[in-house]
Amino acid sequence: MARQQIYLYGNTVRKEAPVPGKQEVRVEQPKKVSLQVRKNRRNAAHINAGYVAYLTIAAVLTLLVCVQYLRLQSEITTRSENITVLQRELVSAQEENTTKYNAIMDTINLEQIREKAITEFGMVYAQPGQIIEYKSPTNDYVKQYEAIPESGVLAQSQKASK
């Protein structure tokens, strides 16, 4: 049903008066609640001390687990940042080492070293008869403390003979 609109001039608006005889009255009917629902409501209203203690302990444990989780997350983030810093330092050190190595290798002239060894120190290349090959008892390096025997065998270990 359409309402009548009243146009008023001025700075205030008057309150609309309801139309007489057209008032609606709503009467709320109580809803029927089953017996089981009423029992559940009564049981829920009576919370005993044991249940409150149980809920309190559960809440505290949940809070502790959450705090521990956040602490571990923070620790992981900190360690990750430390690893990133250390990786940057490693890359920087590797670049510096490579640069220094290349600079040293560029200053070494092997031909000049060979000439100096031959002219100043009197070094000569070995003749084929001067080279003695020998069997090493182990696969490790050998330090020569005395002359190598003509047979070329320095020592025989029990491991090498088996």
Side-chain angles (χ1 to χ4, degrees):
M1 183 173 197
R3 291 184 168 175
Q4 289 182 339
Q5 292 183 350
I6 303 172
Y7 294 101
L8 299 174
Y9 297 99
N11 63 356
T12 60
V13 177
R14 295 184 190 151
K15 292 183 181 178
E16 235 181 73
V19 178
K22 296 272 185 168
Q23 293 179 353
E24 293 181 23
V25 177
R26 290 187 183 182
V27 177
E28 299 217 8
Q29 297 176 354
K31 294 181 181 178
K32 293 183 180 179
V33 180
S34 69
L35 180 64
Q36 184 65 39
V37 171
R38 279 186 267 147
K39 279 184 181 179
N40 288 344
R41 286 182 183 168
R42 253 186 279 123
N43 288 339
H46 300 294
I47 299 177
N48 61 14
Y51 187 65
V52 171
Y54 170 75
L55 287 179
T56 303
I57 291 171
V60 168
L61 287 177
T62 303
L63 180 66
L64 290 176
V65 167
C66 290
V67 167
Q68 181 70 9
Y69 176 76
L70 290 175
R71 190 185 65 75
L72 288 174
Q73 283 290 83
S74 173
E75 185 177 326
I76 288 171
T77 303
T78 304
R79 286 187 181 186
S80 177
E81 290 170 356
N82 289 342
I83 288 171
T84 303
V85 168
L86 292 174
Q87 285 176 339
R88 286 185 191 142
E89 288 178 12
L90 176 65
V91 167
S92 175
Q94 286 176 336
E95 287 176 359
E96 186 178 335
N97 287 344
T98 303
T99 303
K100 287 181 180 180
Y101 176 78
N102 290 336
I104 290 170
M105 293 308 290
D106 289 343
T107 61
I108 295 175
N109 185 352
L110 293 178
E111 186 62 32
Q112 186 181 19
I113 292 171
R114 188 185 68 78
E115 285 294 322
K116 189 172 186 174
I118 291 173
T119 56
E120 288 185 29
F121 300 116
M123 297 177 89
V124 292
Y125 286 106
Q127 300 298 322
Q130 294 175 322
I131 299 172
I132 300 173
E133 293 185 9
Y134 64 94
K135 295 178 185 173
S136 175
T138 62
N139 291 335
D140 207 357
Y141 65 92
V142 174
K143 290 185 180 180
Q144 183 178 348
Y145 294 110
E146 56 186 69
I148 298 174
E150 290 296 322
S151 66
V153 177
L154 292 175
Q156 197 76 24
S157 73
Q158 291 178 355
K159 290 182 183 175
S161 63
K162 288 184 181 177

